[in-house]
Amino acid sequence: MKVDWARWLPAALLLSIPATCAARARDYDAHDYYAVHLAPSVRPEDVSEHLGLQYEGPLGNLEDHHVFRASDRQQDYDHVKTAREDLRRRRRKREIGWAEPHILDNVLLSQKQDLAKRFPLVKRGIIPPRQDPPVDSNVQKGLDIAKTLGIADPIFQDQWHLYNHVQLGHDINVTGVWQQGITGKNSTVCIVDDGLDMDSDDLRANYFAAGSYDFNDNVPDPKPRLSDDHHGTRCAGEISAVRNDVCGVGVAYDGKVSGARILSKLISDADEAVAMNYAYQENQIYSCSWGPPDDGQAMEQPGILIKRAMVNGIQKGRGGRGSIYVFAIGNGAANDDNCNFDGYTNSIYSVSVGGIDRKGLHPYYSEKCSAQLVVTYSSGSGDAIHTTDVGANKCYTNHGGTSAAGPLVAGIYALMLEANPSLTWRDIQWLTVLTAVKLDQPSDWAMNKALGREFSHQFGYGKADAWALVEMAKNWTNVKPQAWFYSPWLHVKHPVPQGDQGLASSFAVTPAMLAVANVARLEHVTVTMNVAHTRRGDLSVELRSPTGMVSHLATPRRNDGAGSGYVDWTFMSVAHWAESGVGTWTVVVKDTNVNEHEGSFTDWRLRLWGESIDGEAQELLPMPTEHDDDDHDDDADVPGIGTTSVAVPTETGSPAGNPTDHPNRPVNSKISTATTSSPPANTATTPPAAIDDDKDEVDTPSPSASSTPSPTSPPTNFLPRPFPTFGVTKTTQAWIYGSLALIAVFLLALAAWYIRCVRRQRAWRREEYGFEMVNNHGHGDGRDDDDDDGNSDGGGPDNAGAKGSRAAGKKGQRAGQLYDAFAPDSDEEEPFHVGSDSEDSEGGGGEGASVSG
Ligand SMILES: *[C@@H]1O[C@H](CO)[C@@H](O)[C@H](O)[C@H]1NC(C)=O
Ligand SMILES: *[C@@H]1O[C@H](CO)[C@@H](O)[C@H](O)[C@H]1NC(C)=O
Ligand SMILES: *[C@@H]1O[C@H](CO)[C@@H](O)[C@H](O)[C@H]1NC(C)=O
C-alpha cells in the first residue's frame, strides 16, 4: 500500500472542483447542441457568440471541451461546420489571409449532437428459466457464516454467488474477505444504467447522491421513472445492497453506490462523455452492463468524445490512479456475436466480464473474445442472481445475462480498493489476470508462457476470486506507467483467398523498437485494420504473437451481412499479457465462406501497450483524436512513393514470418509450414496471375529464399518452341531457363530496390518511432512506383477482381510478408473449434430450452 500522497493529494483536490459540476439540463427536442473542443487560449463565450450560439458550459470533465446551444433545431444544418467551411472558402478566395488569425481557428473539434445518428445502448440482462435449486446439508454452513458476519438478510441463503451451498466452490469466494472486515468501506461504485432506486430500503443507506445524476431527464437523482427501469437497481443491489433485514447483501455491502441514468432515452455523445467522468474523484468504479446491440450484426464503438472521456478518466480520475471501467461482455454468443465487435468491451480502458453459471458452465449467451479478461457468476443451469429490485422492500430472483456478471466484479474491485486504495486502473487489470481461477471446462485454453497462466476466449483467464484478488491487492507494488509502441501502417492490398486458407501479413518487432518506445512488457495488444469485403460476417482474423500464442481477434458472424468490411476497426487482445513483444507478429485474415462474397486485406497496424521501462520518463498518452488512424498513406506526399510506402520491415533480410529469423521465438510449425510452402498452395486456390507476381516478388529480393519457386515450376511444359533446347532433357532445360529467369528478375528487383532505397531514405525521416532497422529492410518494397497511380484507391471491394488482385499481388509482396496460411489443420485452431462445439452442445442440453423459450 504505497500511496504517494504528496503527489496525489494536490491533484485530487484540484480536480475535484470541476468534477462536481452537474450537467445543465438539455432539451434535444427544442435545440441543437454542439460539443466543441477549443484551444485553451480562447474564451468559449467569444466563439459561441461569433457563431450565433449560446454558451452552455463546459463539457463534463473534459478539459477545453464545451457545449454550445442553437436557439432552434435544424435537421440538416451544422452551424459550426458551415461557419468553418465559409472561413475556408473566404481564405481560398483570399478575402481573408491564411496567416491572418481568425477566432474559428480555435475550434479543434466540433460535433453536432445528433441523437438520430446514435446507435442504441442495450441492457445486457436476460430472463433465464427458473427452477428451484436442490438443497443439501451445507445450508447450515452458510447460516453459520451469515451469523458470524451479522448478516440477517432474508434472501442471503439464495445468494449462491456469495456462498454456494449446493455446488460448493461455485461462488466468488468472498466470505473470508468479509470476515477480515473488508466490506467496501470508503469505496464507491457508479452504476451507469437506467436508474437506481435510492429510496429502496436495501440501498438508501449506501446511496451516494453527490456522485449521481440523471442524464436522461436532467435532474439530480437517477430515480427509475419508466416501467422497465429495473436494471440499474438490480445491478446496484449486487454491489451495495445493505446488510439489514431487506433482501440480500451486495459484494461490497458497506460501500457506496451512485447512479448515472443514461439508458432510459437515447443519449448524446456529449452527455454520455459527461456521465463517464461524472464525479470522477469520488466515483472510483463505473459499472456498465450495456453496450451496442448483441445481434451479431452491430459493429459499433464509442464516439470520440466518449473515448476521450475514458482516457480522461483513466488519466485523471481517482486522483490520477484512474477510473475503473467494468463492462459486461455481451449476451450475443447465440448470435455468433463476439465482444471484439463492441468498442466498449474491447477498449483497453475497460475490464470486460463474461458469465458462467452456478455449475461453472459456460452459459449460451456469454460472448467470447480475445479482449475478455475474466468471468464470474450469472444466470444459467436453472438459476440466476438474487438481488434487490425497484421498490421499498422488493427483491428479484431472476437477474441474469452478462449484465449480472459485470457488477459482481465491480463489487470485488470495491473490496480491493478498500484494502489498497493506491491501485491504479492497470494494477486492477494485472491483479485480475494473475488471480483468475481456471475453469475445469473444455474450451480453447492456451498457455500464455510469459504468465504461466492459461487463457480461453470463452472464459478469459478464468473466474474472479474475491479472496485471491484482495489478498494480492494488499501488498501489490504499483506497475510503472503505461508505455506503447505503434507499428507503421502495413500495407497488404491483397485479395483474401476463400475457404480454409488465410492471408497472412507479418511485422517484426525488435528489442531496439521497444527500447525506444520505453516498453518493458506487454499488457494489451491492439490491431487496427482495414479489410474490404462484401459480406463482413464471412471474415475472421487471428493474431499470432512471437511466442506462438494465438488471439482470435474476429470470428465469423452468420448474421453480419454488412458490405462495408472492417474500416479502421481496432481489435484488442489480452491473451499476450506479460509477453515481451519482441519478434514477429502475424495477422491472418480468412474469408471463411466459399461464396460470391469476396474481399481484400488492405492494411493494418499493430499497437503494443504495456508497462514502461523507465516510469519517470514516460509521458501520458495524448487525447485520442478523430484522425489517429488517418496516416495510412503517411508517405503519400513524398514524390514517387504514393500509397505503398510502408513495407513490412523484417529482420536481417529474410522474409517476414520466417521463424528462423528469431532464435528466441518458439517455433510455430504452422507458420513455418505456411511460409515455406505457400507458393504451391497459392497455385491451387488463387488466380495464377497474382501468384506469379507473388512468387517473383517474394523470392527475388531475398537470395536465401530463391530456391522456393523451383519446385513449383514443373519442367516439362516449361519451354516455348523457339528457344534452344541445349540437347538436354526438359527438366534440365527448365532448370536452366528457370535460373536465367530468376537471375533476370533478381537483377531487375535489385535495381528497383536501389531506386526505392534512395527514396525511402528521404521518407524515413518522418517516421515517429525508431525505424533504423527498417532501413536494413527497405529492400522489400522497391518495385511499386509504377503502379502507384493505378492503385491509389486500392483496397475497395472492387479490388478483389482479377485485375485488382494482380495489382494488389504486386504491392502486397514487398518483403514477402504475405503467404497463405493453412489454418484448418493447425494445432492452435483445433481447440478453438472444439470449444465452440462444446458450447453448442451445452446450449442444446441444459440451456437450449431457455434460448428458444
Ligand atoms: C477461498 O477463500 C479461502 C479463504 O477464506 C481460501 O482459503 C480458499 O483457498 C479460497 N478458494 C476457494 C476455491 O475456496
Ligand atoms: C475512509 O476515509 C476516511 C476519510 O478519508 C478515513 O478517515 C477512514 O480511515 C477511511 N476508512 C478506511 C476503512 O479506510
Ligand atoms: C506484505 O509486505 C510486508 C512488508 O513488505 C510483509 O511484512 C508482509 O508479510 C506481506 N504480506 C503478505 C501477505 O505477503
Side-chain angles (χ1 to χ4, degrees):
M1 279 214 222
K2 280 188 269 166
V3 191
D4 186 356
W5 287 111
R7 181 166 156 215
W8 293 122
L9 256 186
L13 292 177
L14 259 180
L15 290 167
S16 59
I17 296 165
T20 41
C21 303
R24 276 189 48 176
R26 300 201 222 288
D27 183 350
Y28 287 94
D29 293 330
H31 305 286
D32 279 335
Y33 291 89
Y34 297 89
V36 289
H37 178 203
L38 299 179
S41 52
V42 73
R43 278 187 66 229
E45 294 85 349
D46 294 343
V47 180
S48 61
E49 196 187 353
H50 178 89
L51 289 164
L53 300 170
Q54 274 75 44
Y55 179 55
E56 284 276 292
L59 172 50
N61 283 308
L62 281 178
E63 213 173 317
D64 302 324
H65 288 62
H66 307 272
V67 178
F68 295 165
R69 173 167 59 89
S71 52
D72 58 351
R73 278 189 65 191
Q74 295 179 58
Q75 200 69 35
D76 295 314
Y77 185 76
D78 185 319
H79 290 81
V80 188
K81 200 169 153 198
T82 308
R84 292 170 83 189
E85 277 168 3
D86 195 48
L87 172 63
R88 265 195 297 276
R89 193 167 36 247
R90 289 170 63 195
R91 277 183 170 152
R92 243 178 277 121
K93 290 186 183 162
R94 303 191 203 287
E95 292 169 24
I96 303 179
W98 287 100
E100 195 181 317
H102 189 280
I103 187 162
L104 289 182
D105 294 332
N106 294 298
V107 178
L108 307 178
L109 169 83
S110 165
Q111 189 193 67
K112 184 174 173 180
Q113 299 302 299
D114 189 344
L115 294 183
K117 289 192 182 142
R118 219 22 243 278
F119 54 87
L121 298 174
V122 180
K123 304 169 197 176
R124 287 184 165 161
I126 46 165
I127 309 296
R130 176 84 180 111
Q131 268 172 34
D132 284 322
V135 173
D136 74 21
S137 61
N138 284 296
V139 170
Q140 191 53 46
K141 194 176 163 211
L143 291 172
D144 293 345
I145 292 173
K147 199 167 165 213
T148 62
L149 290 163
I151 294 174
D153 295 63
I155 71 163
F156 179 70
Q157 290 299 305
D158 296 333
Q159 293 188 299
W160 56 268
H161 61 281
L162 301 174
Y163 173 71
N164 190 337
H165 56 72
V166 181
Q167 292 89 9
L168 295 182
H170 280 297
D171 54 45
I172 63 168
N173 201 20
V174 72
T175 54
V177 178
W178 293 340
Q179 278 163 343
Q180 296 180 339
I182 298 173
T183 50
K185 292 181 288 294
N186 281 12
S187 294
T188 306
V189 182
C190 180
I191 311 293
V192 184
D193 211 292
D194 63 6
L196 188 162
D197 189 359
M198 68 289 300
D199 297 324
S200 156
D201 290 340
D202 214 11
L203 293 172
R204 195 186 317 112
N206 284 340
Y207 176 60
F208 179 54
S212 303
Y213 192 78
D214 181 339
F215 291 89
N216 287 135
D217 286 319
N218 296 296
V219 292
D221 277 335
K223 178 94 180 158
R225 283 170 232 278
L226 305 181
S227 59
D228 70 341
D229 278 359
H230 307 293
H231 189 257
T233 303
R234 293 167 183 168
C235 292
E238 292 182 85
I239 296 170
S240 255
V242 177
R243 181 180 54 168
N244 57 11
D245 57 356
V246 182
C247 300
V249 293
V251 174
Y253 55 73
D254 286 327
K256 296 280 176 221
V257 65
S258 57
R261 185 165 176 260
I262 69 161
L263 296 183
S264 301
K265 282 181 188 167
L266 272 181
I267 184 164
S268 69
D269 281 25
D271 290 347
E272 190 180 325
V274 177
M276 296 298 269
N277 284 165
Y278 196 70
Y280 69 168
Q281 300 314 321
E282 295 82 14
N283 287 331
Q284 300 168 317
I285 301 161
Y286 293 81
S287 182
C288 306
S289 289
W290 44 266
D294 295 327
D295 51 11
Q297 300 171 37
M299 188 166 188
E300 301 287 357
Q301 56 176 328
I304 186 68
L305 297 172
I306 302 160
K307 283 188 186 168
R308 284 185 182 179
M310 289 179 77
V311 174
N312 194 46
I314 59 98
Q315 293 186 349
K316 295 186 189 159
R318 238 167 25 95
R321 284 158 301 212
S323 306
I324 319 284
Y325 297 103
V326 177
F327 269 85
I329 202 109
N331 297 339
N335 296 325
D336 286 349
D337 211 348
N338 176 308
C339 29
N340 242 323
F341 292 90
D342 168 345
Y344 293 92
T345 51
N346 85 0
S347 163
I348 66 174
Y349 307 113
S350 66
V351 172
S352 298
V353 182
I356 46 172
D357 68 22
R358 65 175 295 158
K359 292 180 177 166
L361 303 174
H362 174 257
Y364 70 90
Y365 53 80
S366 188
E367 293 175 22
K368 55 188 165 197
C369 81
S370 60
Q372 176 164 223
L373 211 54
V374 72
V375 293
T376 193
Y377 293 97
S378 186
S379 55
S381 285
D383 206 349
I385 301 297
H386 298 243
T387 180
T388 313
D389 206 347
V390 174
N393 181 352
K394 214 162 159 244
C395 318
Y396 189 58
T397 57
N398 239 356
H399 192 38
T402 53
S403 267
L408 296 183
V409 167
I412 297 173
Y413 289 168
L415 300 176
M416 291 163 72
L417 289 183
E418 179 186 346
N420 182 354
S422 74
L423 298 174
T424 67
W425 68 279
R426 282 169 47 249
D427 291 328
I428 291 273
Q429 296 200 21
W430 270 100
L431 291 162
T432 305
V433 166
L434 292 175
T435 59
V437 178
K438 187 191 164 186
L439 287 141
D440 184 20
Q441 288 295 317
S443 188
D444 63 332
W445 295 105
M447 180 56 79
N448 173 327
K449 300 183 194 88
L451 278 172
R453 305 187 68 85
E454 290 178 64
F455 177 84
S456 139
H457 290 74
Q458 218 165 18
F459 300 117
Y461 283 98
K463 66 167 179 167
D465 183 303
W467 171 267
L469 277 161
V470 171
E471 282 310 293
M472 198 180 275
K474 289 178 185 169
N475 256 13
W476 180 256
T477 307
N478 298 122
V479 292
K480 291 183 201 168
Q482 186 190 41
W484 55 88
F485 165 78
Y486 295 179
S487 80
W489 276 100
L490 304 163
H491 299 280
V492 180
K493 299 189 178 170
H494 193 286
V496 182
Q498 292 200 330
D500 295 337
Q501 289 200 316
L503 181 64
S505 173
S506 297
F507 177 75
V509 174
T510 63
M513 288 174 177
L514 294 187
V516 169
N518 198 25
V519 174
R521 56 175 177 172
L522 304 189
E523 292 158 7
H524 311 86
V525 177
T526 60
V527 171
T528 305
M529 63 196 304
N530 287 280
V531 179
H533 198 280
T534 51
R535 193 175 188 287
R536 190 168 66 193
D538 289 358
L539 291 168
S540 77
V541 181
E542 60 189 62
L543 172 69
R544 301 174 179 201
S545 81
T547 67
M549 188 76 177
V550 178
S551 289
H552 295 273
L553 298 181
T555 46
R557 299 195 300 172
R558 66 179 185 280
N559 298 336
D560 182 1
S564 53
Y566 303 152
V567 182
D568 279 343
W569 186 260
T570 299
F571 293 108
M572 194 271 270
S573 176
V574 296
H576 308 285
W577 207 272
E579 289 184 7
S580 79
V582 172
T584 297
W585 293 80
T586 301
V587 165
V588 181
V589 178
K590 291 181 192 165
D591 183 348
T592 55
N593 277 343
V594 180
N595 56 16
E596 71 279 19
H597 293 289
E598 297 179 315
S600 175
F601 183 4
T602 309
D603 55 12
W604 64 289
R605 154 182 270 183
L606 177 73
R607 287 183 170 98
L608 305 177
W609 307 85
E611 187 176 17
S612 51
I613 300 166
D614 178 356
E616 301 294 313
Q618 182 60 47
E619 287 172 8
L620 283 178
L621 187 74
M623 278 285 140
T625 77
E626 287 180 307
H627 306 289
D628 289 345
D629 294 321
D630 287 1
D631 53 347
H632 294 243
D633 305 323
D634 217 11
D635 292 346
D637 52 343
V638 178
I641 293 196
T643 58
T644 63
S645 60
V646 186
V648 179
T650 65
E651 296 206 321
T652 63
S654 32
N658 183 343
T660 60
D661 295 347
H662 308 288
N664 294 336
R665 168 186 158 155
V667 172
N668 178 332
S669 61
K670 292 309 157 194
I671 292 208
S672 69
T673 306
T675 308
T676 51
S677 60
S678 60
N682 268 342
T683 328
T685 52
T686 48
I691 298 321
D692 291 338
D693 286 352
D694 291 356
K695 249 194 305 162
D696 291 347
E697 299 199 10
V698 171
D699 298 321
T700 46
S702 168
S704 69
S706 64
S707 62
T708 316
S710 305
T712 68
S713 325
T716 29
N717 295 327
F718 190 74
L719 283 183
R721 294 282 164 235
F723 286 82
T725 63
F726 303 113
V728 293
T729 66
K730 282 183 177 177
T731 312
T732 314
Q733 292 166 34
W735 279 99
I736 293 167
Y737 279 107
S739 308
L740 286 174
L742 273 172
I743 290 166
V745 174
F746 176 72
L747 289 175
L748 276 173
L750 199 66
W753 165 68
Y754 177 75
I755 293 164
R756 182 55 171 271
C757 250
V758 170
R759 288 177 176 168
R760 290 184 69 87
Q761 303 250 314
R762 279 179 263 145
W764 286 130
R765 285 192 304 254
R766 307 172 337 98
E767 298 290 350
E768 302 136 310
Y769 285 96
F771 287 119
E772 313 80 22
M773 52 77 55
V774 178
N775 282 325
N776 302 337
H777 317 297
H779 73 275
D781 57 334
R783 300 159 293 293
D784 317 315
D785 300 351
D786 51 330
D787 55 16
D788 284 342
D789 295 359
N791 258 305
S792 49
D793 59 341
D798 44 354
N799 217 19
K803 188 157 175 271
S805 64
R806 194 167 57 246
K810 273 175 146 180
K811 290 188 163 247
Q813 281 312 313
R814 297 173 298 279
Q817 74 273 33
L818 296 176
Y819 56 87
D820 291 317
F822 304 132
D825 307 320
S826 125
D827 292 331
E828 310 91 320
E829 188 77 333
E830 202 78 33
F832 191 67
H833 289 309
V834 170
S836 30
D837 289 343
S838 76
E839 173 199 335
D840 289 343
S841 52
E842 246 168 54
E847 290 297 333
S850 56
V851 194
S852 44

